[in-house]
């Protein structure tokens, strides 16, 4: 085993795929285009105060699983407010978005369930597929036609379609209404991961409430939503939203809920405050999308065929394809040295195998932030071989 570990370390080093955690300084001053704190709520005083008050009232941890002594009034209030925000019937909170996806997929999976999934689904969903022991078939990214063929050929009595509403690397949208029609036609359930859309997408009265709220998908018996509390909501944790029947099933069958310590009360309170801010301040979601569009426009002059930006202004993510893993890492390091933090995505984190820089727009970016970061990144991109 030791020899194998050494060989693996050598392979990562030669391919430019070494990853190391790098701590942030408390007083670090930079333009943040890397985090998923889309609405700027992770440092919002209202969110911080709610978390601090929960610590003083309930303690630092949940103390046990939700089914023993780990459920507080905060958990139940959060579940109610999440359901109201998204237009779903009920919600169940998990201690992370990763565990929420694993929990719902494994609780619904098994030898009698076919899973038909978009090839760009997040790793948390992929791990759920593997753990579920279901036959899993991937369809070409956003191809309703291929998903339909796979469902038509199924032998299993049950089927689950798994997608993301906004994809985390390319930032593009899923054809949700067409997928719902497939679910209805084939008596399947549609699982939509709203990790990158909750707090960001939505129109009119549903601004910031995600891609499902206010549409025919919200509250539909064939639709389930998974979400994270650690991105736009600025906290920690995850949730699955759907019918009351689904919630009852998960409470009794989802192993990542039953056997895991409950979400810390501070995180639940922070997320609850975040939900209220999303409801009261829809301008934040609009600002995220406006800033994403401004980043795309500002970078356009520097982009070449080898480093093309995908203008996906439905959400926060802007994705820049890079020639290699090494060039992506070098570009990210150069940007950091110039005071701009950006994401660097290399295999196996990229669904198409192409290393990318990922920029995440945030509501609290100023015009000066966008102008300065675009100037830095244009200089870096123009120097690419």
């Amino acid at each position: 085993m030791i020899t194998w570990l050494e060989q693996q370390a050598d392979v990562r080093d030669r391919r430019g795929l070494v990853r190391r955690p790098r701590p942030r300084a408390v007083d670090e001053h930079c333009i943040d285009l890397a985090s998923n704190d889309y609405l700027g709520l992770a440092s919002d005083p209202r969110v911080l105060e709610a978390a601090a008050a929960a610590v003083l009232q309930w303690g630092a941890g949940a103390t046990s699983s939700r089914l023993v002594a780990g459920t507080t009034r905060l958990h139940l209030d959060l579940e109610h407010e999440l359901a109201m925000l998204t237009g779903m019937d009920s919600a169940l909170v998990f201690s992370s978005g990763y565990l929420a996806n694993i929990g719902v997929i494994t609780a619904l999976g098994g030898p009698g369930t076919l899973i038909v999934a978009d090839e760009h689904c997040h790793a948390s969903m992929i791990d759920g597929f593997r753990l579920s022991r279901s036959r899993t078939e991937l369809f070409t990214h956003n191809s309703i036609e291929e998903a339909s063929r796979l469902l038509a050929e199924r032998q299993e009595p049950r089927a689950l379609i798994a997608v993301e509403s906004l994809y985390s690397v390319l930032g593009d949208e899923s054809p949700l209404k067409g997928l719902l029609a497939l679910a209805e036609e084939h008596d399947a359930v549609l699982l939509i991961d709203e990790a990158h859309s909750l707090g960001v997408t939505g129109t009119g009265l549903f601004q910031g409430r995600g891609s499902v709220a206010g549409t025919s998908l919200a509250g539909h018996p064939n639709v389930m939503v998974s979400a994270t509390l650690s991105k736009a909501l600025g906290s920690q944790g995850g949730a699955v939203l759907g019918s009351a029947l689904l919630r009852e099933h998960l409470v009794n069958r989802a192993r990542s809920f039953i056997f895991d310590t409950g979400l810390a009360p501070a995180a639940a309170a922070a997320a609850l405050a975040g939900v209220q801010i999303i409801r009261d301040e829809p301008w934040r979601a609009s600002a995220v999308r406006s800033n994403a569009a401004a980043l795309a426009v500002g970078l356009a002059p520097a982009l070449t065929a080898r480093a093309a930006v995908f203008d996906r202004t439905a959400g926060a993510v802007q994705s820049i394809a890079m020639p290699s893993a090494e060039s992506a890492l070098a570009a990210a390091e150069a940007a950091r040295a110039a005071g701009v933090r950006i994401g660097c995505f290399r295999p196996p984190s990229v669904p198409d195998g192409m290393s990318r820089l990922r920029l995440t727009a945030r509501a609290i970016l100023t015009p000066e932030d966008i102008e300065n970061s675009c100037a830095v990144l244009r200089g870096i991109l123009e120097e690419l071989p």
Side-chain angles (χ1 to χ4, degrees):
M1 181 64 78
I2 301 303
T3 300
W4 178 78
L5 289 172
E6 292 171 343
Q7 292 170 343
Q8 291 296 301
D10 181 62
V11 169
R12 287 192 295 272
D13 187 58
R14 285 188 284 105
R15 294 179 179 175
L17 302 178
V18 175
R19 294 164 169 81
R20 294 187 177 90
R22 176 180 289 182
R24 287 187 289 123
V26 173
D27 58 349
E28 183 178 35
H29 297 290
C30 70
I31 301 172
D32 180 10
L33 302 180
S35 79
N36 295 318
D37 182 25
Y38 298 139
L39 303 183
L41 299 187
S43 56
D44 188 284
R46 294 165 290 181
V47 174
L48 300 181
E49 289 168 8
V55 168
L56 294 177
Q57 182 175 10
W58 295 102
T63 74
S64 71
S65 74
R66 290 281 307 275
L67 295 178
V68 179
T71 294
T72 68
R73 186 71 246 171
L74 290 169
H75 295 88
L76 300 181
D77 288 347
L78 175 58
E79 288 167 347
H80 173 75
E81 292 300 325
L82 284 170
M84 294 291 290
L85 184 75
T86 58
M88 302 300 284
D89 291 341
S90 66
L92 184 67
V93 167
F94 290 71
S95 56
S96 77
Y98 208 106
L99 292 176
N101 271 337
I102 287 178
V104 65
I105 292 169
T106 55
L108 297 175
T113 300
L114 168 68
I115 295 176
V116 175
D118 192 289
E119 64 180 350
H120 284 197
C121 279
H122 189 262
S124 59
M125 301 182 91
I126 294 171
D127 285 352
F129 306 155
R130 293 169 176 170
L131 289 168
S132 73
R133 298 175 293 113
S134 294
R135 181 167 72 92
T136 300
E137 298 289 345
L138 302 181
F139 59 86
T140 302
H141 182 49
N142 277 345
S143 173
I144 291 179
E145 295 76 12
E146 192 169 338
S148 178
R149 178 182 59 79
L150 292 169
L151 288 165
E153 296 173 353
R154 91 176 199 246
Q155 301 298 314
E156 293 85 353
R158 300 180 300 279
L160 184 153
I161 307 169
V163 299
E164 299 179 41
S165 50
L166 282 181
Y167 286 90
S168 59
V169 177
L170 298 187
D172 55 339
E173 293 181 279
S174 184
L176 296 181
K177 289 186 178 179
L179 291 165
L180 174 58
L182 274 188
E184 291 176 321
E185 178 185 354
H186 295 280
D187 189 27
V189 290
L190 174 60
L191 173 61
I192 305 168
D193 186 337
E194 288 249 59
H196 294 272
S197 51
L198 181 62
V200 174
T201 59
T203 58
L205 295 175
F206 302 97
Q207 187 86 257
R209 299 189 180 203
S211 299
V212 169
T215 73
S216 58
L217 294 104
H220 195 288
N222 292 68
V223 173
M224 304 174 297
V225 168
S226 61
T228 180
L229 313 179
S230 63
K231 294 181 171 58
L233 286 169
S235 183
Q236 195 78 24
V240 175
L241 302 103
S243 66
L245 185 62
L246 171 67
R247 186 184 188 278
E248 191 271 340
H249 181 77
L250 294 179
V251 167
N252 289 276
R253 294 292 298 275
R255 293 171 64 85
S256 59
F257 174 84
I258 297 168
F259 297 104
D260 189 33
T261 297
L263 182 68
L272 195 54
V275 169
Q276 189 61 49
I277 292 171
I278 288 173
R279 184 182 288 114
D280 293 343
E281 300 177 3
W283 64 264
R284 290 178 181 267
S286 180
V288 170
R289 300 195 300 273
S290 296
N291 287 341
L295 285 169
V297 170
L299 290 173
L303 299 173
T304 68
R306 296 183 66 185
V309 71
F310 294 82
D311 183 2
R312 313 291 191 188
T313 53
V317 173
Q318 298 291 321
S319 176
I320 305 176
M322 297 296 285
S324 65
E326 292 83 1
S327 65
L329 183 60
E333 291 292 344
R336 186 184 181 91
V340 181
R341 187 192 297 120
I342 60 176
C344 176
F345 280 57
R346 296 166 286 164
S349 300
V350 280
D352 57 1
M354 181 179 293
S355 293
R356 297 175 181 275
L357 302 179
R358 191 182 77 162
L359 318 180
T360 53
R362 304 171 65 235
I364 59 176
L365 292 175
T366 67
E368 292 75 21
D369 289 336
I370 293 173
E371 181 180 351
N372 293 338
S373 59
C374 285
V376 167
L377 293 169
R378 283 197 302 267
I380 293 170
L381 293 172
E382 286 167 355
E383 294 180 0
L384 286 174

